[in-house]
C-alpha cells in the first residue's frame, strides 16, 4: 500500500487442518490485504500474509508478531524485503500434487469478517491446500482456494458452498490449474 500501513509476514505453520484458521484468528480483526499459500506436502506450510495493524493501538504489529510466535509458529517480518514485495508474493506456492484437492474461485465481500466467516464455516476436517487473495479495493475480493475434500464428503461440500452465500466457480477441471498449479496427473485423486 502506498500509505505504508501494510505489513507483510512470512509465517510457517503446521500443514494440518485448522492451522490456517488458527493463524487468521491471531490477525483478526485487522484488515488482511493479501494471503498467499500453497500446499507443499506433509510437514510445514509457508504463508505470506499482509495486513494493516491498528494504528491507534501502540505496538499493535509487534504484539501480533509476538502472538504468532507464542503460538509456536515461526514468523519473519518481510515488510521491507523488496524480493518478497515485488516478486515472491506473486509466485508463492507453485505446483503441488495434492490428494483430493478441489479448486474454487470465490468472490468474497470486501467487508470485515468475510474471511473469518469462510474459515469458521469450513469443515475442520478439510485442509485448505491453496489460498490466494489480494485486496484490490473493489466491492468483492477475488479469492482462489484449494480444499482437500474426499469424494465421500461431496454432499457436505455442496452444503458448505450453498450456505456460505459467496459467488463461486469450481476450477478443478480447468487446464490452467493442471498446467501451473498441479504436479502430475489429477486422475489419481
Amino acid at each position: 500500500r502506498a500509505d505504508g500501513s501494510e505489513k507483510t509476514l512470512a509465517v510457517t505453520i503446521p500443514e494440518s487442518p485448522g492451522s490456517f484458521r488458527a493463524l487468521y484468528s491471531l490477525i483478526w480483526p485487522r484488515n488482511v490485504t493479501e494471503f498467499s499459500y500453497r500446499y507443499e506436502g506433509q510437514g510445514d506450510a509457508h504463508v505470506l500474509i499482509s495486513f494493516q495493524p491498528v494504528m491507534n493501538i501502540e505496538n499493535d504489529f509487534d504484539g501480533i508478531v509476538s502472538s504468532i510466535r507464542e503460538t509456536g509458529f515461526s514468523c519473519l517480518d518481510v515488510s521491507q524485503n523488496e524480493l518478497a514485495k515485488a516478486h515472491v508474493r506473486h509466485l508463492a506456492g507453485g505446483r503441488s500434487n495434492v490428494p483430493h484437492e478441489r479448486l474454487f474461485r470465490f468472490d468474497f465481500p470486501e467487508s470485515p469478517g468475510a474471511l473469518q466467516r469462510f474459515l469458521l464455516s469450513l469443515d475442520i476436517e478439510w485442509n485448505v491446500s491453496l489460498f490466494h487473495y489480494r485486496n484490490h479495493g473493489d466491492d468483492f475480493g477475488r479469492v482462489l482456494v484449494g480444499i482437500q475434500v474426499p469424494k465421500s464428503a461431496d454432499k457436505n461440500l455442496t452444503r458448505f458452498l450453498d450456505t456460505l452465500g459467496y459467488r463461486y466457480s469450481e476450477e478443478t477441471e480447468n487446464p490452467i490449474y493442471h498446467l501451473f498449479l498441479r504436479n502430475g496427473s489429477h486422475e489419481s485423486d
Side-chain angles (χ1 to χ4, degrees):
R1 296 184 57 99
D3 64 3
S5 65
E6 181 180 72
K7 297 290 189 180
T8 303
L9 298 173
V11 183
T12 302
I13 62 176
E15 182 59 74
S16 60
S19 294
F20 181 53
R21 182 185 293 180
L23 173 60
Y24 181 71
S25 72
L26 298 171
I27 306 295
W28 170 256
R30 288 145 198 92
N31 181 34
V32 173
T33 56
E34 183 169 16
F35 205 111
S36 294
Y37 157 73
R38 179 69 170 131
Y39 179 94
E40 280 185 60
Q42 302 302 328
D44 292 331
H46 304 289
V47 176
L48 277 176
I49 185 167
S50 299
F51 63 96
Q52 293 174 299
V54 178
M55 293 307 200
N56 61 352
I57 297 178
E58 189 174 341
N59 301 318
D60 184 55
F61 177 69
D62 294 332
I64 294 297
V65 170
S66 293
S67 294
I68 290 171
R69 289 182 175 146
E70 288 169 9
T71 302
F73 302 156
S74 70
C75 176
L76 177 65
D77 179 4
V78 295
S79 302
Q80 303 305 316
N81 186 310
E82 285 303 312
L83 178 60
K85 291 189 322 181
H87 300 288
V88 173
R89 73 183 332 154
H90 303 289
L91 301 171
R95 295 166 54 133
S96 187
N97 189 10
V98 182
H100 310 292
E101 183 174 64
R102 305 274 294 273
L103 188 72
F104 297 91
R105 282 185 303 112
F106 287 94
D107 289 338
F108 276 34
E110 283 291 1
S111 60
L115 177 55
Q116 182 182 43
R117 178 177 175 190
F118 174 83
L119 291 173
L120 293 177
S121 299
L122 193 66
D123 188 315
I124 194 68
E125 298 296 316
W126 300 339
N127 188 42
V128 175
S129 53
L130 178 149
F131 197 93
H132 183 261
Y133 161 76
R134 177 70 184 160
N135 181 326
H136 293 282
D138 296 328
D139 291 338
F140 289 90
R142 296 173 301 212
V143 180
L144 186 64
V145 181
I147 307 171
Q148 284 182 274
V149 181
K151 285 281 186 201
S152 61
D154 275 354
K155 285 183 182 179
N156 291 343
L157 176 64
T158 300
R159 187 175 319 116
F160 160 72
L161 294 167
D162 292 343
T163 303
L164 184 64
Y166 298 171
R167 193 169 65 200
Y168 71 92
S169 297
E170 184 164 5
E171 298 289 354
T172 306
E173 298 304 322
N174 188 317
I176 295 301
Y177 166 58
H178 294 280
L179 287 171
F180 292 98
L181 297 173
R182 296 276 302 178
N183 275 337
S185 171
H186 69 286
E187 294 177 19
S188 63
D189 290 350

